[in-house]
Amino acid sequence: MSWKSSVQKFIVTAPLAVYQIFRRLENGTYKSPGFYEFDLYERGKARHIRSTVIGERVVQRTLCDIALNPILCRTFIHDNGASLKGKGYDFAADRLICHLRRHIRKHGREGYILLFDFRKFFDNVDHAVIKAELRRQFTDPRIIGITEHFVEMFGDRGLGLGSQISQVLALVSGNRLDHYIKEELQIKGYARYMDDGYLIHHSKAYLQECLVKIQALCTKLGIVLNEKKTQIVKLSHGFSWLKMRISIQPSGRIVRKIYKRSIVRERKKLKKLRLKLDQGIMTQADIWNAWQSWKSYALRFDAWHTVQSMGILYDQLFAHEEVDYGYLYQTA
């Protein structure tokens, strides 16, 4: 972010700027200056971003690192894998495989998985739920006050994409649901990655009962379930979660396939990159790095043949191009 002019100006005046922010925080007069709002389109999906100014990002970073994360994250279940240190997409995917293996050892392929998805998770976060948890975990009125101020800047409901506090507070809004499923419903094969989650059990009837109770609790927490994506699937039929296709072989082997849309998207992307290379918009080194990035992602799955097929397409498009790394010349 250091290339931005606003960041460079802040760095130049950092001692004075930080001191002024500190004084306003100390005497309780600090107010958020607002957001820079804009829209991003990712994979055909529009996302409204409300980005904070550099001065407020400093305050939020300190607030999260010193207060919110150390206190709030210790209340999360182990299988909550999003936006936490040492966790992420790979952690969530590995926990799913772990839970499936435990289930297979006891029940074989017989069983079901309840997949659920929160609709517009950030937009529907209930501020009352967050504020109640803040007051339960903290006693310092300054921490509670500044955090609630940042939350209220988003309006009467929801959290905005672009603020650091939004990540941890969004997890807080669903934390009660996580504990309810683990402790009250006694589902050991449960995990959640931000707005996507699953429950594994050998009884379909019990999962249907769990779904009714989950819907009731979500209503209390202000969470809206996406009815189209919330479903109970037989494990032996296979299912999709977090952009990966899972199937269980008769032998009990779990196969993790890459999402078909990701393959189609990458093939289209390589062809577009060929045009950008011809137009001089991108260099071969940039394209090589993009290809290696997707290849590393794809190799997380059981997708050796897919990677080889994509490599053939890459060679057809770029085989005679020279990759210049300054000191290293490599032919793709």
Side-chain angles (χ1 to χ4, degrees):
M1 304 294 286
S2 59
W3 56 270
K4 291 185 176 181
S5 60
S6 59
V7 176
Q8 294 173 356
K9 291 178 182 178
F10 184 86
I11 293 174
V12 171
T13 60
L16 178 60
V18 171
Y19 175 74
Q20 291 174 340
I21 292 173
F22 169 75
R23 293 296 297 173
R24 291 198 296 271
L25 287 169
E26 191 176 41
N27 58 34
T29 60
Y30 181 86
K31 300 295 180 183
S32 172
F35 309 103
Y36 292 116
E37 301 193 33
F38 55 92
D39 294 320
L40 287 179
Y41 293 88
E42 181 183 18
R43 299 173 182 174
K45 186 176 182 180
R47 299 183 185 276
H48 186 69
I49 307 298
R50 284 181 280 187
S51 176
T52 57
V53 301
I54 180 61
E56 184 174 324
R57 289 205 295 272
V58 171
V59 177
Q60 289 197 17
R61 176 65 180 270
T62 305
L63 178 64
C64 288
D65 291 352
I66 304 302
L68 298 185
N69 289 346
I71 299 300
L72 297 178
C73 290
R74 69 182 183 180
T75 68
F76 298 154
I77 63 172
H78 176 69
D79 289 321
N80 186 337
S83 303
L84 301 176
K85 186 176 181 180
K87 297 184 178 181
Y89 177 88
D90 287 336
F91 173 85
D94 291 342
R95 290 303 292 169
L96 170 61
I97 301 301
C98 177
H99 289 150
L100 286 173
R101 286 173 177 164
R102 290 177 181 175
H103 179 88
I104 291 170
R105 284 196 293 268
K106 291 183 178 180
H107 307 285
R109 300 172 71 206
E110 296 302 317
Y112 299 84
I113 183 169
L114 167 57
L115 303 168
F116 67 82
D117 177 86
F118 299 153
R119 183 174 178 272
K120 295 184 178 180
F121 183 36
F122 280 85
D123 294 338
N124 289 319
V125 170
D126 192 330
H127 290 182
V129 174
I130 294 176
K131 291 179 180 179
E133 186 65 17
L134 286 173
R135 294 179 182 277
R136 192 169 73 91
Q137 296 294 337
F138 294 96
T139 57
D140 191 327
R142 294 172 298 179
I143 293 177
I144 297 173
I146 191 64
T147 306
E148 290 184 348
H149 170 65
F150 287 142
V151 170
E152 291 167 356
M153 287 297 295
F154 295 112
D156 297 330
R157 191 178 188 84
L159 298 172
L161 299 174
S163 294
Q164 185 171 349
I165 63 167
S166 296
Q167 298 293 326
V168 64
L169 294 182
L171 293 177
V172 167
S173 69
N175 191 34
R176 182 179 168 189
L177 175 65
D178 296 336
H179 285 277
Y180 177 75
I181 294 173
K182 284 283 192 182
E183 299 161 10
E184 299 294 330
L185 299 182
Q186 294 290 303
I187 300 292
K188 295 182 179 180
Y190 166 75
R192 179 168 66 92
Y193 184 80
M194 199 56 76
D195 57 349
D196 293 285
Y198 64 83
L199 293 77
I200 300 173
H201 200 269
H202 64 275
S203 171
K204 182 178 181 180
Y206 185 65
L207 286 181
Q208 290 173 333
E209 180 183 338
C210 289
L211 178 57
V212 173
K213 294 179 179 180
I214 289 172
Q215 289 173 326
L217 181 56
C218 284
T219 300
K220 293 181 181 179
L221 298 176
I223 298 173
V224 181
L225 286 178
N226 189 327
E227 295 183 0
K228 292 183 179 180
K229 296 182 179 181
T230 299
Q231 55 185 327
I232 298 176
V233 182
K234 196 170 184 178
L235 289 176
S236 59
H237 292 172
F239 59 92
S240 296
W241 192 66
L242 293 185
K243 305 300 182 183
M244 58 182 174
R245 181 68 186 174
I246 301 293
S247 62
I248 303 176
Q249 303 298 314
S251 63
R253 178 173 177 263
I254 301 171
V255 178
R256 182 167 63 173
K257 288 290 186 180
I258 190 171
Y259 210 50
K260 187 175 181 180
R261 291 181 183 177
S262 298
I263 302 172
V264 175
R265 188 182 301 114
E266 181 64 15
R267 294 184 71 88
K268 291 181 178 179
K269 179 181 177 180
L270 288 176
K271 294 173 183 179
K272 290 180 180 179
L273 291 180
R274 175 72 251 190
L275 295 177
K276 291 186 177 182
L277 178 64
D278 294 338
Q279 296 169 0
I281 299 176
M282 293 186 68
T283 66
Q284 178 60 21
D286 292 334
I287 295 173
W288 169 263
N289 289 333
W291 154 241
Q292 291 300 310
S293 176
W294 185 87
K295 183 178 178 181
S296 298
Y297 160 75
L299 288 174
R300 298 174 178 175
F301 305 88
D302 299 306
W304 187 87
H305 291 288
T306 299
V307 173
Q308 298 305 307
S309 176
M310 197 70 71
I312 292 173
L313 175 62
Y314 179 88
D315 290 340
Q316 291 173 348
L317 294 171
F318 305 103
H320 301 293
E321 301 293 337
E322 188 178 64
V323 185
D324 185 359
Y325 294 97
Y327 64 92
L328 174 62
Y329 291 86
Q330 181 176 351
T331 302

